Amino acid sequence: MAVQIEIALPGETKVDALALPFAQPVGGEGARIVDEKLSGRLTRLAESGELRGERGEALLLHTDGDLDAPRVVAVGLGERADVDADALRTAGAAAATALARVGGSLAWLLDESLRVPLPEQARALVEGTIIGGYSPGRWKTQDEGKRPLEVERIVLAHFETPELRDAAELGALLAERTNRARDLANMPPNELNPAALAEHAVALAAEHEQLSAEVFGPREIDALGMGALAAVGRGSQNEPRLIVLRYEPPQPTHRDVLLGLVGKAITFDAGGLSIKPAARMEDMKGDMAGGAGTLEGIGAVAALQLPVRAIAVLAAAENLPGGHAFRPGDILRAANGKTIEVINTDAEGRLVLADALWYARREGATHVLDLATLTGAMELALGDLYAGFFANDDEWRDRVAAAGERSGDLLWPFPLHARYRRYVDSAFADMKNGSTLRQGSPVLAAKFLEEFAGEGPWAHVDMAGPGFLERSRGDYYRVPGGTGYGVRLIAELARELT
């Protein structure tokens, strides 16, 4: 659903609810005026402790005709000194949740007393409202009347400026693309297999004139010498796909720059013959969350018509046990000619990424970013808020980190020291796809991938924690499942490269 964005002065347009952000201590001219029109009801609620302004708190009031809007949602931002874009996104989600039985239209009263600039406020509130209003229950058939209703129109109660309009529309586009990536990650594996994901990519490319898609099946994968990707997909009757999207703007700012985006797209991961425990295996439909973020990320770049060339490569496969499945002890030959001893078939993500990284470089990618739900140890380290990432270039590392901070797709740099490489040495092949030591598994995976990343800046994002949630995160991600992590990061990184 495309959410309509309007900018109008308070009272100029009818809405179903007015959202009023509250920081601690309460301030702002807008809050004072609304409180006066409500005969001091907000002040009395604050004095009674019912309205505290805590981050993520929402209090819904009926105005009984005292305002043009029939409802006011008072939404907490937390301590005024700590208010940032994430606090505003969380406020947007709280308002969307409070209006889940109403939906319709919502006006946000911007607060000029906050340290966050108004365009940044607008973008964050729009993003939070759309992302926070998302429901994963599209397969429910009972109680359809009880499904949460989404906000269909967002009004920013302020006089319009080009900066405010651009920021709000950017927030809406990126939030909608983020939710599209969530839809893909939440699709059950009996609906979304590698071939179905490829169909989504082709349909996405058809939406944008400068975006094209190409899909390689098993025969083409073998012809390219992609022994690692082919091996991972052998155990399933749903054969693997290499999905390639190219974005070629008519007038790129730097014609010699090609942003390479690589996504792990394991549409279901049972672990292969090194089978996973049964508990929570149903969440392994989300092992393609990196691919989903990559796909909708390049879609966002195309929708924004950014003047930067980009290529996205998704390595899609199902990792299942079966008579044709690859085995521990197998030695695979990747597309760059290097050989890999398999010691664990559940370390399959780095195998498919190896061939995809090689392909992105072969096609001319100058700056590469890969996204993958790769290691459980990274989730143990950083939880469900930050992704960890590794980079072979200091400048590229800093640009990726800055894009993460601006976008809300947060990440944190980890070391890529050369001496970690010895842990994936093999006595029989060029390397092995893991280590028997229970140490440093995220960095060992990164050192493995570095062997296939080619020449030039490269960053590997291990998004195992924030890519697919088991429960509400307590901020603007309020439901379990896919988060669309990577869409906003990719868009910010592409904007930075223009």
Side-chain angles (χ1 to χ4, degrees):
M1 179 190 74
V3 176
Q4 182 182 352
I5 300 296
E6 292 183 15
I7 302 176
L9 291 173
E12 287 188 353
T13 185
K14 296 290 185 181
V15 292
D16 296 306
L18 172 66
L20 185 62
F22 269 85
Q24 301 168 328
V26 175
E29 184 67 11
R32 184 190 64 77
I33 292 172
V34 171
D35 190 35
E36 285 182 359
K37 290 187 176 182
L38 293 175
S39 304
R41 289 168 65 189
L42 296 176
T43 297
R44 291 194 297 274
L45 287 168
E47 290 172 349
S48 70
E50 295 173 77
L51 177 61
R52 296 186 294 272
E54 293 178 355
R55 183 177 291 204
E57 169 192 80
L59 186 63
L60 178 64
L61 304 175
H62 286 263
T63 63
D64 299 325
D66 291 335
L67 293 176
D68 291 334
R71 302 168 188 85
V72 165
V73 188
V75 188
L77 298 175
E79 291 291 336
R80 182 171 293 274
D82 298 331
V83 173
D84 57 7
D86 258 9
L88 291 158
R89 293 186 188 103
T90 301
T97 301
L99 294 171
R101 294 187 177 185
V102 179
S105 54
L106 171 66
W108 278 103
L109 194 62
L110 304 184
D111 187 351
E112 297 192 23
S113 70
L114 296 176
R115 294 188 303 175
V116 181
L118 290 182
E120 190 175 337
Q121 285 188 43
R123 174 178 170 180
L125 289 168
V126 168
E127 283 184 356
T129 304
I130 297 172
I131 293 174
Y134 176 87
S135 172
R138 55 181 284 194
W139 292 270
K140 293 179 180 288
T141 59
Q142 297 177 341
D143 298 327
E144 292 188 9
K146 296 181 180 179
R147 290 184 183 179
L149 299 176
E150 297 180 12
V151 174
E152 299 174 352
R153 180 167 65 99
I154 299 175
V155 179
L156 300 176
H158 200 272
F159 64 85
E160 183 166 347
T161 66
E163 294 80 11
L164 204 61
R165 167 66 63 179
D166 290 347
E169 291 186 347
L170 174 63
L173 186 149
L174 293 181
E176 288 162 7
R177 296 286 171 158
T178 295
N179 284 349
R180 286 170 61 158
R182 298 170 84 180
D183 283 342
L184 289 173
N186 290 333
M187 287 184 72
N190 59 315
E191 291 186 16
L192 190 73
N193 55 39
L197 183 61
E199 291 173 3
H200 280 275
V202 171
L204 174 65
E207 297 177 16
H208 305 287
E209 184 178 355
Q210 277 78 43
L211 189 63
S212 62
E214 191 174 9
V215 179
F216 301 118
R219 185 176 300 176
E220 294 88 356
I221 289 170
D222 288 342
L224 287 165
M226 294 183 168
L229 172 57
V232 172
R234 275 206 312 261
S236 173
Q237 66 178 3
N238 295 312
E239 296 176 316
R241 297 289 189 273
L242 186 77
I243 303 166
V244 182
L245 297 100
R246 291 179 171 85
Y247 171 64
E248 290 289 347
Q251 294 182 315
T253 304
H254 306 289
R255 190 164 292 277
D256 59 340
V257 172
L258 178 61
L259 175 60
L261 306 168
V262 175
K264 174 188 172 185
I266 302 297
T267 57
F268 187 75
D269 181 19
L273 293 177
S274 306
I275 195 165
K276 293 179 179 290
R280 305 299 307 182
M281 194 191 285
E282 66 271 20
D283 287 349
M284 288 301 101
K285 66 181 181 181
D287 210 20
M288 43 67 65
T294 301
L295 178 61
E296 291 298 338
I298 197 171
V301 171
L304 291 169
Q305 299 181 335
L306 297 178
V308 58
R309 300 170 60 231
I311 181 173
V313 184
L314 279 64
E318 284 187 339
N319 186 26
L320 300 180
H324 297 287
F326 73 125
R327 296 152 293 219
D330 283 357
I331 293 180
L332 313 177
R333 186 177 298 274
N336 70 348
K338 293 185 179 182
T339 56
I340 306 161
E341 178 193 4
V342 176
I343 67 167
N344 187 336
T345 65
D346 194 26
E348 86 297 330
R350 66 203 69 184
L351 295 176
V352 303
L353 288 173
D355 282 338
L357 284 166
W358 169 85
Y359 188 86
R361 285 293 192 197
R362 195 197 78 162
E363 295 302 294
T366 56
H367 299 71
V368 175
L369 178 80
D370 76 67
L371 297 170
T373 50
L374 207 65
T375 66
M378 188 61 82
E379 184 176 6
L380 289 174
L382 293 176
D384 58 13
L385 182 59
Y386 275 78
F389 82 105
F390 305 82
N392 66 351
D393 178 90
D394 289 348
E395 181 183 357
W396 186 234
R397 177 201 62 209
D398 293 343
R399 294 174 91 166
V400 171
E405 286 296 323
R406 291 194 305 271
S407 70
D409 282 340
L410 301 174
L411 32 68
W412 196 261
F414 276 70
L416 198 64
H417 198 284
R419 273 183 276 176
Y420 282 110
R421 173 61 177 80
R422 65 191 178 95
Y423 288 101
V424 293
D425 284 343
S426 167
F428 307 101
D430 294 328
M431 68 199 80
K432 55 191 178 186
N433 74 328
S435 170
T436 56
L437 298 176
R438 295 179 61 83
Q439 296 178 356
S441 61
V443 68
L444 302 190
K447 290 304 292 183
F448 178 94
L449 292 174
E450 190 177 22
E451 298 287 321
F452 306 91
E455 297 297 323
W458 157 73
H460 158 59
V461 179
D462 190 338
M463 47 177 278
F468 195 92
L469 304 179
E470 294 183 10
R471 59 192 178 278
S472 168
R473 205 168 73 178
D475 53 9
Y476 55 103
Y477 284 104
R478 299 196 158 208
V479 293
T483 63
Y485 183 98
V487 173
R488 294 177 295 161
L489 171 65
I490 287 169
E492 281 299 323
L493 196 57
R495 293 174 73 210
E496 216 272 323
L497 285 173
T498 58

